[in-house]
Amino acid sequence: DIPASQYYTSAVNWAKENGIINGYSDSVFGLGNSLTREELVTIFYNYAQYKGKITSVNPAKAQAMTDFNLVSDWAKVPVEWAIDKGVISGQGGIYISPKGKTLRCELAQILYNISNNSEVKPIMKWFETIFTKSSFISRKNNRIYFRRH
């Protein structure tokens, strides 16, 4: 379901080819869908893995979360990584809410957490590239603006 001539076509194809963002199946990417919390941390995990930045993971903190049993099997390791490395801390420190939609404020917190964590900070270079080269994101006075197309 990825049109050939959209502004995002090359980016989506690159992300799929490099295992960073997978679709729901070989023929369905889910272009217009919102990201769940487990999908978002899986993207960060996959990108960190792509950049060779994954180190050992202690799953204990994630597995102790009240709703860890609701995390999809494909997202368990990425969620464990994200909690162990401080990318996310859970809602109230006890809920992952893996199927919940990612809010803009949550993404801001994740970016903040990554930028202040020396172990995962190198993956921020990806965002720097997006912010400086993207046609749908602009930066002005140290603020990031999302353009609507």
Side-chain angles (χ1 to χ4, degrees):
D1 64 341
I2 303 168
S5 60
Q6 295 296 315
Y7 69 93
Y8 52 76
T9 301
S10 295
V12 170
N13 288 332
W14 172 84
K16 280 186 72 174
E17 289 167 8
N18 289 288
I20 295 164
I21 303 174
N22 299 309
Y24 299 112
S25 69
D26 288 340
S27 61
V28 178
F29 187 75
L31 286 173
N33 295 3
S34 300
L35 288 172
T36 65
R37 292 169 54 83
E38 69 183 2
E39 288 171 334
L40 181 64
V41 298
T42 298
I43 291 168
F44 281 105
Y45 174 84
N46 289 345
Y47 187 77
Q49 194 170 43
Y50 168 77
K51 296 302 280 182
K53 301 295 181 189
I54 297 295
T55 58
S56 63
V57 174
N58 180 348
K61 285 190 248 178
Q63 292 175 1
M65 295 282 192
T66 304
D67 58 352
F68 183 76
N69 63 314
L70 300 177
V71 175
S72 299
D73 287 341
W74 52 265
K76 286 189 186 304
V77 171
V79 168
E80 291 167 349
W81 169 82
I83 291 173
D84 183 48
K85 302 306 178 194
V87 174
I88 63 171
S89 59
Q91 297 173 330
I94 58 171
Y95 295 104
I96 300 166
S97 188
K99 310 292 190 241
K101 300 219 181 312
T102 301
L103 302 175
R104 293 167 60 105
C105 58
E106 291 170 330
L107 178 57
Q109 182 67 55
I110 289 169
L111 295 174
Y112 178 81
N113 293 347
I114 290 171
S115 70
N116 287 295
N117 181 322
S118 62
E119 189 171 353
V120 293
K121 189 174 183 173
I123 67 175
M124 284 301 289
K125 291 205 179 286
W126 178 43
F127 290 99
E128 292 170 11
T129 300
I130 291 171
F131 294 151
T132 58
K133 295 182 181 177
S134 174
S135 67
F136 58 98
I137 298 175
S138 65
R139 187 182 233 168
K140 181 179 179 185
N141 300 328
N142 284 335
R143 292 181 186 252
I144 298 165
Y145 297 91
F146 294 88
R147 296 186 193 124
R148 295 177 192 253
H149 284 270

